[in-house]
Amino acid sequence: MSGEVLEADLRDAARVLTDRGRLRAEAEPELYRAAVKGQAALAGLFRSELGWTFEALEVAQLVRLHKRRVDVPGDRGPSVARGGGRPVLLSQEALVLVCLVCEQLWRRPRLSVRELMQALAQVCAEEAASGGLPRVQWVAGEGTSKQEARWHRQNLVDALQVLEAEGSVEADSDLERVVVDEDADLVLTASRDRLAARFSSLSPALLGLDALPPQEHAAALSTASLLDSVAEPDQGASLEERRLQALRRLVDDPGVDPFDEQTPGTVYLHTLAGRERGLALLASLGLGVTVRQDWWEVTDPSGLGTAMDFPNGRRMERQAALALLAHLSERGQADSVVQVGDVVELLEGVRAVMPNWAAGHKAQLPALARAAIGELAAARLLVPVVGEAEQWQATPGVHLWRVRVAHAARGAAGPEPGEASGVKPAEGDV
């Protein structure tokens, strides 16, 4: 890498692209204009350091980053937020419906939801018998309960909300109406130019995915051309492949283990050349990083390049997560396995000192404990134990934090909701 750092506006645009994969003119006009103007610098950086393709589509008023990663995280993907809670991953049926909706809207860029439902039901019925597509039933009827029909409509709404959030589809009314009212109808309008920009891989038919086992699909879809051979699992990755794997992990993940056995490429980060390359890339994107011999902690001070706002926030789940983080940072390696029962016991101890804290969750501490674990898992401070149910392993990243509880006025029994916690880098860990 040349060591050149992107300009400030380009760094902001680059961080948004690494998080969302796209910039829209109507949603982020300043970042969009900066990305179009500096597309040569952005394209060069993403191509040389990460092997990703940058594309500016001014006709569609869209900038796309086509990201490739062989070691696809299993807990990520398109997600939707329901009821103001934590985003949930789309179900398998909803993901299939995303593809089918795009196909229908490509043919007819403007149609009603009822027309869309009718077309989707017909397509799925033709393939359901052979197992090619799921059977969908939008209204209750013979063999379909009201709950099942509502579940199918929820999957369709999830698919439409993902397309609406990325700017490919626009609805003239609230999509949630379709879930609660089976007779609700609204009009969808699609941008064909943006639908065409959704493709990030070669055609699955050309790649021969039908002949490959599912565990090799990610490697096939991440190839840049048909001339590239997909490496067999027993073949050693080249230095360039290991470098790309490691740097992609740094840009994508909040925490990276340089000795991760699941991703051999991360060992590259432990070499002098890999360390310098990684630090230079993160600096060029304006990301913050704390490096230990056994852990890389990557943060985004601006918040532009990540959807995760932990440890900020005032929700009770975040406060419980900070209480757990404070406990884990003081434990040794031998006590690094976390179970729900242990967290419940910890929260009970906190409530014994501050009875007013989490009073509304008194009878639901197991649910609060799982939510706290989920917060730390999203920040890569906990990882699931392979082969064990509801057991998590603390990563070295827990030792990079110090948690301080800021109490309310003297004599108060619980923490001030707005000042529940604060975090600082651990002394001596940088």
Side-chain angles (χ1 to χ4, degrees), residues 359-377:
H361 294 75
K362 181 179 179 180
Q364 301 174 337
L365 285 184
L368 183 60
R370 289 185 173 88
I373 291 173
E375 295 286 346
L376 296 189

Side-chain angles (χ1 to χ4, degrees), residues 19 31 74 79 81 90 95 99 102 104 107 115 125 166 176 196 201 232 258 326 336 353 355 362 405:
D19 176 45
L31 295 179
S79 60
L90 262 65
L95 290 172
C99 302
C102 289
Q104 295 299 322
R107 297 175 178 177
E115 293 172 322
E166 70 179 27
E176 291 291 343
S201 70
E232 296 294 333
S336 59
V353 178
K362 181 179 179 180
V405 177

Side-chain angles (χ1 to χ4, degrees), residues 314-331:
R314 302 181 179 183
R315 293 193 294 109
M316 197 60 64
E317 294 82 359
R318 295 268 164 82
Q319 296 184 17
L322 288 165
L324 176 57
L325 177 56
H327 177 66
L328 293 175
S329 64
E330 298 173 355
R331 295 169 63 174

Side-chain angles (χ1 to χ4, degrees), residues 400-424:
L400 297 177
W401 299 93
R402 293 290 183 266
V403 180
R404 176 179 60 84
V405 177
H407 291 270
R410 180 175 294 181
E416 177 72 22
E419 298 179 347
S421 59
V423 293
K424 296 181 179 180

Side-chain angles (χ1 to χ4, degrees), residues 256-264 266-271 292-296:
V256 177
D257 181 358
F259 297 106
D260 187 356
E261 296 179 356
Q262 303 299 320
T263 309
T266 53
V267 180
Y268 172 80
L269 297 175
H270 194 59
T271 65
R292 292 191 352 164
Q293 185 177 8
D294 59 348
W295 195 254
W296 288 59

Side-chain angles (χ1 to χ4, degrees), residues 5 9 35 42 73 104 106 137 163 169 223 259 267 280 357-358 361:
V5 178
D9 53 353
L42 289 172
Q104 295 299 322
W106 173 263
Q137 186 72 35
L163 294 172
V169 174
T223 58
F259 297 106
V267 180
W357 180 78
H361 294 75

Side-chain angles (χ1 to χ4, degrees), residues 80-405:
V80 292
R82 298 175 184 167
R86 228 182 134 74
V88 296
L89 292 174
L90 262 65
S91 65
Q92 183 176 356
E93 178 177 304
L95 290 172
V96 173
L97 289 174
V98 169
C99 302
L100 296 179
V101 167
C102 289
E103 179 188 19
Q104 295 299 322
L105 291 177
W106 173 263
R107 297 175 178 177
R108 298 173 58 191
R110 182 178 174 84
L111 76 169
S112 69
V113 169
R114 288 185 182 179
E115 293 172 322
L116 177 63
M117 285 180 169
Q118 183 177 3
L120 294 179
Q122 181 178 355
V123 171
C124 289
E126 295 174 355
E127 297 287 341
S130 61
L133 290 174
R135 176 182 173 272
V136 294
Q137 186 72 35
W138 311 118
V139 297
E142 184 178 355
T144 304
S145 65
K146 290 185 177 180
Q147 183 178 4
E148 185 179 359
R150 181 188 176 98
W151 182 76
H152 287 302
R153 294 199 304 273
Q154 180 68 69
N155 285 330
L156 175 61
V157 169
D158 288 348
L160 290 173
Q161 286 180 334
V162 167
L163 294 172
E164 187 179 45
E166 70 179 27
S168 298
V169 174
E170 182 178 354
D172 67 348
S173 184
D174 185 9
L175 288 168
E176 291 291 343
R177 290 175 46 208
V178 179
V179 180
V180 298
D181 183 6
E182 62 185 30
D183 294 324
D185 197 15
L186 50 148
V187 176
L188 302 172
T189 305
S191 168
R192 298 190 70 186
D193 292 321
R194 290 186 177 178
L195 289 177
R198 286 186 56 83
F199 293 96
S200 291
S201 70
L202 298 172
S203 169
L206 295 177
L207 293 172
L209 291 186
D210 292 342
L212 293 176
Q215 60 270 22
E216 296 182 17
H217 286 184
L221 289 170
S222 64
T223 58
S225 67
L226 291 176
L227 299 178
D228 293 342
S229 60
V230 179
E232 296 294 333
D234 57 347
Q235 292 180 352
S238 66
L239 177 61
E240 179 67 11
E241 291 171 339
R242 294 199 303 271
R243 179 181 71 82
L244 291 177
Q245 289 180 10
L247 296 183
R248 288 168 180 170
R249 287 283 302 274
L250 284 182
V251 173
D252 270 347
D253 297 348
V256 177
D257 181 358
F259 297 106
D260 187 356
E261 296 179 356
Q262 303 299 320
T263 309
T266 53
V267 180
Y268 172 80
L269 297 175
H270 194 59
T271 65
L272 180 60
R275 178 188 176 96
E276 295 301 323
R277 194 86 176 231
L279 291 173
L281 174 60
L282 295 174
S284 69
L285 294 175
L287 296 171
V289 58
T290 303
V291 182
R292 292 191 352 164
Q293 185 177 8
D294 59 348
W295 195 254
W296 288 59
E297 189 90 351
V298 181
T299 59
D300 180 8
S302 69
L304 289 173
T306 176
M308 179 175 56
D309 56 0
F310 178 84
N312 299 318
R314 302 181 179 183
R315 293 193 294 109
M316 197 60 64
E317 294 82 359
R318 295 268 164 82
Q319 296 184 17
L322 288 165
L324 176 57
L325 177 56
H327 177 66
L328 293 175
S329 64
E330 298 173 355
R331 295 169 63 174
Q333 185 66 25
D335 300 324
S336 59
V337 175
V338 177
Q339 302 184 48
V340 175
D342 300 333
V343 182
V344 172
E345 184 178 349
L346 169 66
L347 298 181
E348 289 175 344
V350 175
R351 281 189 38 77
V353 178
M354 297 182 292
N356 289 346
W357 180 78
H361 294 75
K362 181 179 179 180
Q364 301 174 337
L365 285 184
L368 183 60
R370 289 185 173 88
I373 291 173
E375 295 286 346
L376 296 189
R380 189 68 179 171
L381 299 175
L382 288 176
V383 292
V385 176
V386 179
E388 299 292 341
E390 292 206 325
Q391 289 192 21
W392 293 264
Q393 179 82 31
T395 67
V398 300
H399 300 296
L400 297 177
W401 299 93
R402 293 290 183 266
V403 180
R404 176 179 60 84
V405 177

